Amino acid sequence: MKIAAIEAFPISVPVPPDRQVTLGIGRQVKRDAVVVKVATADGIIGWGESHHGRAHLAIAQLINTTLRDLALGMDATDVVGIWAKIYKFQLGSHGMGAACAMAMSGLDTALWDIRGKAVGWPLYKLLGGASRAIPAYAGGISLGYQEPASLVEEVRQFIAQGFTAVKLRMGDSPERDVARIEAVRAAFPDLVILTDANTGYSVRDARQILPAFAAARVGWLEEPFPAHDHRSYREARLLAPSVPLAAGENHYTRFEFHRLIEDGNVTILQPDVSKTGGVTETMRIAAMASAWKLPIHCHSSAGICMAATLHVMSAIENPGYFEADCAPDNPLREDLVAPAYRMAADGTVRPNDGPGLGIEVNEELLRRYPGVSGPGYV
């Protein structure tokens, strides 16, 4: 089971103008991702996904150079040893920080895919879990900045598909954000409404919107501030204790989640398997969070990450919501892998049952959409 080859593929898929969604980090003009392929000497292929980090060409290059040099020839089943080696020689020692965490996430996930295929088990079973129905909310790159009436109609379509929870994009302006929240709440009194500001608020903005969010029974406010702005999170928590604060998709490894948990200001934890260090590290974070009785609501990216996320959430004792990408046109969900996930009529999703991640990767798509430079959001 020696690792014989590691290759990362940066990909970029343009978003048609009529499908571009605006949110707190800009208007999406293309979708970037980094797909990681690992082969063993005896011919087993594993797939993983590294988050693009708005620098997908750089993330792929890091995998194809430094991380490849560190991991080639090691036993593919030794996920803990490989993780520890990368931490010692790269991540923990002047090693590009978040970029390394994202890069190693795809490699680590591919190794778990190999482990599952080697024994013929789905990943959730290998991790000690079972096939479980995980509640999903309508999210991803959808429900962006638009007029309240239009937003209500988009929400209505998701409810018709079986969703009982949606996540609305905030961070526009306090006045317009409150108008959208109030319109959706008035139209759907029993709907679970979650919100995501994509780091677009100041504490002053939070002071304006949080009373209205509390009145509308918002389930959480996600990333009102940048991940490192611990003081603002503390102040916001005191402004409206009834609106939980969510974060984690931009926190890397258990070491950053350690502070997030101990500070106590963020109680909705959202690690991303493609960012935080892969399956190995996400399981560690979930175990750490369970000691504080905190749920894990994983953030997810493209299709490989979505598939891996459901396996992880089916193998931990504290799973929350799965973020179902509901973008109307997303080849990284629909065409890259088959299947990323399937949703039941009751709004829940389950992990795939095939060996490893249980997916087939469309390698032709990797060739069709090579990575191109330039921002994904403008």
Side-chain angles (χ1 to χ4, degrees), residues 268-286:
I268 303 294
L269 302 179
Q270 301 170 308
D272 185 320
V273 174
S274 71
K275 285 185 170 185
T276 199
V279 171
T280 300
E281 195 71 349
T282 306
M283 293 295 292
R284 291 165 171 164
I285 291 165

Side-chain angles (χ1 to χ4, degrees), residues 7-329:
E7 186 171 8
F9 302 86
I11 54 178
S12 299
V13 179
V15 179
D18 62 336
R19 298 293 178 89
Q20 294 176 0
V21 175
T22 299
L23 50 153
I25 52 177
R27 175 170 51 86
Q28 187 183 42
V29 295
K30 67 183 174 78
R31 293 183 175 88
D32 296 324
V34 178
V35 175
V36 183
K37 181 180 182 180
V38 178
T40 68
D42 44 353
I44 301 177
I45 303 296
W47 295 95
E49 179 188 331
S50 291
H51 195 272
H52 56 80
R54 296 204 188 187
H56 58 312
L57 303 180
I59 299 296
Q61 181 70 359
L62 179 56
I63 297 166
N64 287 331
T65 54
T66 303
L67 299 197
R68 175 191 285 164
D69 292 343
L70 289 171
L72 274 179
M74 294 188 70
D75 186 339
T77 65
D78 185 15
V79 292
V80 171
I82 293 169
W83 208 101
K85 184 176 182 181
I86 293 172
Y87 178 78
K88 179 179 180 180
F89 290 105
Q90 179 68 14
L91 179 60
S93 178
H94 313 291
M96 295 183 71
C100 181
M102 285 184 275
M104 67 197 296
S105 295
L107 172 59
D108 180 85
T109 299
L111 296 175
W112 278 101
D113 190 29
I114 287 172
R115 294 185 94 202
K117 290 174 177 174
V119 300
W121 282 7
L123 179 55
Y124 66 77
K125 187 174 182 180
L126 197 65
L127 293 171
S131 178
R132 296 191 174 95
I134 304 294
Y137 67 81
I141 309 302
S142 61
L143 298 160
Y145 298 166
Q146 54 190 291
E147 292 302 312
S150 173
L151 182 61
V152 166
E153 290 309 306
E154 186 178 358
V155 170
R156 195 182 309 279
Q157 295 173 21
F158 292 138
I159 293 174
Q161 295 174 30
F163 287 104
T164 59
V166 300
K167 187 168 79 176
L168 310 182
R169 296 293 177 172
M170 301 287 109
D172 182 6
S173 75
E175 296 78 14
R176 288 189 290 271
D177 288 346
V178 168
R180 293 184 182 107
I181 287 289
E182 291 178 342
V184 173
R185 174 52 72 213
F188 309 105
D190 299 323
L191 180 68
V192 175
I193 299 176
L194 313 171
T195 63
D196 186 352
N198 292 110
T199 73
Y201 283 150
S202 65
V203 172
R204 180 178 180 181
D205 294 330
R207 188 173 290 110
Q208 288 183 256
I209 58 93
L210 280 171
F213 281 24
R217 307 190 316 279
V218 166
W220 73 53
L221 172 57
E222 181 178 335
E223 286 202 318
F225 320 111
H228 58 263
D229 192 356
H230 301 286
R231 179 174 181 176
S232 292
Y233 277 97
R234 182 175 68 248
E235 293 187 26
R237 179 180 64 84
L238 298 174
L239 290 172
S242 65
V243 180
L245 299 179
E249 68 174 274
N250 288 307
H251 290 80
Y252 303 93
T253 76
R254 64 193 182 276
F255 305 109
E256 291 192 5
F257 275 88
H258 181 275
R259 174 170 182 176
L260 199 65
I261 291 169
E262 287 210 330
D263 280 356
N265 300 316
V266 173
T267 54
I268 303 294
L269 302 179
Q270 301 170 308
D272 185 320
V273 174
S274 71
K275 285 185 170 185
T276 199
V279 171
T280 300
E281 195 71 349
T282 306
M283 293 295 292
R284 291 165 171 164
I285 291 165
M288 187 165 62
S290 73
W292 274 263
K293 306 300 182 184
L294 295 176
I296 296 293
H297 306 264
C298 283
H299 176 269
S300 59
S301 303
I304 297 175
C305 178
M306 295 175 196
T309 296
L310 280 172
H311 285 282
V312 168
M313 295 186 75
S314 294
I316 61 177
E317 66 177 6
N318 49 341
Y321 277 112
F322 170 75
E323 180 173 17
D325 175 69
C326 291
D329 177 26

